[in-house]
Amino acid sequence: MDFIVGTKYILIMLCINMINASPTTNYYNVVKFGAKADGKSDSTEEFIMAWKSACGSLIPATIYVPKGRYLLRGSNFRGPCKSNVTFLNGGTLVAPEDYRAIGNSGYWILFNHVENLVVSGGNLDAKGLGFWNCRRSGKNCPVGARTMTFNWVNNLVISGITSINSQLSHIVINTCNNVVVRNMRIIAPAKSPNTDGIHVEQSNGVTINGCTIKTGDDCISIGEATYNLFMSNIKCGPGHGVSIGSLGKTMDEKGVENVTLTNAIFSGSDNGVRIKSWARPSNGFVRNVLFQNILMNNVENPIIIDQNYCPNNQGCPGQTSGIKISEITYKNIHGSSATAEAVTFDCSPSTPCDGIKLEDINLNYNNKAATSSCKNIVGTSNGTLVPESCLST
Ligand SMILES: *[C@@H]1O[C@H](CO)[C@@H](O)[C@H](O)[C@H]1NC(C)=O
Ligand SMILES: *[C@@H]1O[C@H](CO)[C@@H](O)[C@H](O)[C@H]1NC(C)=O
Ligand SMILES: *[C@@H]1O[C@H](CO)[C@@H](O)[C@H](O)[C@H]1NC(C)=O
């Protein structure tokens, strides 16, 4: 009895203290701003009002989206903000049924110029089907919208979000520093065009951990000026794999440096780990990359470097890639290839790949050793090597 009375006393004192203390966070519930959880009423203005209030708060602020479906047109959540902001979603954000409503801006949900931002939870349904159908029909279509984009956001955490059926990429991290992306689920059909899962570009210090990505284009794609990207515990497939590139479309491109992918499973994807560049002159580079502890299940190109990218043979006749690829390590990669050739290194004749390392590779095709091919590449290998290494030393 004494113990219970004691506990009650402590709880009462705690409550009194909490009432007296000034709040450490301001809460902004979008429903209090008039957002409707019916999935039909346009709540864009109400979300923007909630954002503006939170962004103007002098103490850390949380925008809270309760359970329910909220219809949003293109939403630009713009900083700078006065304090840290958390966007906590317990509901589902849905795009309008008509793809043209968001398809002209390039963006559906956009966070812009914010420091210390957390975006967490909930579902994003961009309703991409109409847009994909438009593109497949060869009609004139709008440019399309990425589902959630971060531009110029520093100290960013994105977590626990499920994104389905984006028109284009699901999550885009562009010109951001110090980013953590974790526990994401990303889903779109294998045949949906250009639906990259997570795209990182012009960003430094990005960690992506614990994501399941099933989509129609790259699970994770990495563009120019990406430095210090660490990816772990990634499940990919269907999809086009984890791709550095396409790089080198233009002459003046920044490089990609310090990229790690560790502990990943690829299932039925078109590629596993890929580095891809246009067959065009460029000053760009890819260096210091580690792909390790990876299981391939029936993957078409488990390991591939393709420096001859030139869709429809347009814009690069007779040219070779200027992207310099060096210091790439492939370590402990095993499983099954869906094609006979599991390792393809097609490097640039003018700018060969070097410093490539293979260690403990075991990839089979139809329960037999797969094959490998090498062009313009220098490197070393050790440990188990199935297929045999074709690197020149
Ligand atoms: C704001 O967020 C940063 C991390 O991004 C943290 O270091 C800082 O303590 C936070 N500030 C407040 C007032 O909570
Ligand atoms: C890449 O990593 C190395 C070693 O940690 C570091 O010295 C270098 O500055 C990094 N490169 C970039 C562009 O941050
Ligand atoms: C491969 O070589 C590295 C050093 O370059 C060494 O640390 C590693 O143990 C070797 N692996 C095998 C399986 O021999």
Side-chain angles (χ1 to χ4, degrees):
M1 278 312 258
D2 280 354
F3 170 73
I4 290 171
V5 169
T7 309
K8 269 188 186 157
Y9 176 73
I10 289 167
L11 277 175
I12 289 163
M13 288 313 288
L14 263 176
C15 289
I16 290 169
N17 276 334
M18 281 167 70
I19 290 161
N20 286 340
S22 53
T24 49
T25 308
N26 279 339
Y27 274 90
Y28 300 90
N29 183 334
V30 293
V31 169
K32 297 228 166 100
F33 286 81
K36 295 271 184 307
D38 60 7
K40 295 194 188 87
S41 321
D42 186 339
S43 292
T44 311
E45 297 310 323
E46 292 73 13
F47 270 66
I48 297 291
M49 283 194 299
W51 169 263
K52 283 188 173 155
S53 300
C55 189
S57 166
L58 295 174
I59 60 168
T62 296
I63 298 183
Y64 178 61
V65 182
K67 198 163 176 283
R69 294 170 69 80
Y70 302 83
L71 181 69
L72 291 187
R73 285 176 288 115
S75 305
N76 187 346
F77 300 115
R78 178 176 278 281
C81 297
K82 296 235 160 66
S83 187
N84 297 1
V85 178
T86 298
F87 187 104
L88 182 60
N89 184 6
T92 298
L93 311 185
V94 296
E97 219 44 75
D98 184 346
Y99 63 88
R100 290 168 297 192
I102 61 168
N104 282 310
S105 69
Y107 305 100
W108 178 29
I109 298 164
L110 174 64
F111 292 90
N112 227 328
H113 290 282
V114 190
E115 305 281 317
N116 303 325
L117 174 68
V118 176
V119 179
S120 173
N123 305 307
L124 309 173
D125 181 356
K127 301 204 176 266
L129 178 65
F131 179 69
W132 311 329
N133 285 340
C134 176
R135 295 189 57 186
R136 288 182 190 126
S137 73
K139 276 192 296 202
N140 239 342
C141 305
V143 291
R146 299 154 156 200
T147 286
M148 189 175 262
T149 301
F150 299 86
N151 286 339
W152 296 285
V153 179
N154 297 325
N155 305 328
L156 167 65
V157 177
I158 308 166
S159 78
I161 298 173
T162 299
S163 171
I164 68 168
N165 298 339
S166 55
Q167 287 191 353
L168 297 172
S169 301
H170 291 260
I171 307 290
V172 177
I173 295 156
N174 184 36
T175 51
C176 298
N177 291 306
N178 195 15
V179 179
V180 175
V181 184
R182 61 176 173 244
N183 303 335
M184 304 289 282
R185 285 176 63 228
I186 291 176
I187 301 160
K191 297 271 183 241
S192 54
N194 300 111
T195 52
D196 286 341
I198 301 173
H199 179 74
V200 182
E201 183 158 337
Q202 301 192 73
S203 295
N204 191 355
V206 178
T207 298
I208 302 175
N209 179 37
C211 298
T212 300
I213 304 168
K214 306 172 184 212
T215 195
D217 205 323
D218 295 334
C219 289
I220 300 177
S221 58
I222 298 149
E224 67 159 327
T226 298
Y227 310 116
N228 307 308
L229 167 63
F230 186 86
M231 300 168 277
S232 57
N233 302 310
I234 305 295
K235 286 188 186 153
C236 168
H240 295 182
V242 169
S243 297
I244 299 178
S246 311
L247 299 173
K249 193 173 182 184
T250 59
M251 188 68 200
D252 288 311
E253 242 192 46
K254 303 251 169 51
V256 170
E257 184 170 330
N258 298 345
V259 174
T260 296
L261 172 67
T262 185
N263 296 3
I265 301 177
F266 292 86
S267 302
S269 51
D270 290 15
N271 305 290
V273 291
R274 171 166 69 162
I275 302 174
K276 179 179 168 194
S277 75
W278 285 78
R280 289 164 61 93
S282 177
N283 293 322
F285 59 84
V286 179
R287 65 177 168 240
N288 197 21
V289 176
L290 171 62
F291 296 115
Q292 71 171 357
N293 306 340
I294 297 172
L295 174 62
M296 303 284 179
N297 288 322
N298 208 32
V299 172
E300 281 180 37
N301 302 294
I303 295 176
I304 181 165
I305 296 178
D306 172 11
Q307 294 209 261
N308 266 312
Y309 183 61
C310 193
N312 309 320
N313 267 324
Q314 273 173 9
C316 28
Q319 298 189 351
T320 59
S321 175
I323 297 284
K324 179 70 189 177
I325 298 175
S326 61
E327 293 160 68
I328 317 292
T329 300
Y330 301 88
K331 187 170 168 179
N332 189 25
I333 300 181
H334 56 107
S336 58
S337 173
T339 63
E341 190 175 293
V343 178
T344 304
F345 291 132
D346 186 3
C347 293
S348 167
S350 58
T351 321
C353 302
D354 60 34
I356 311 301
K357 286 197 193 113
L358 292 170
E359 181 180 341
D360 290 324
I361 307 295
N362 194 347
L363 293 165
N364 292 284
Y365 167 65
N366 276 346
N367 300 316
K368 289 199 223 46
T371 63
S372 62
S373 82
C374 286
K375 276 187 208 150
N376 312 309
I377 186 164
V378 174
T380 58
S381 55
N382 71 347
T384 305
L385 292 167
V386 179
E388 272 174 47
S389 168
C390 57
L391 300 173
S392 359
T393 46

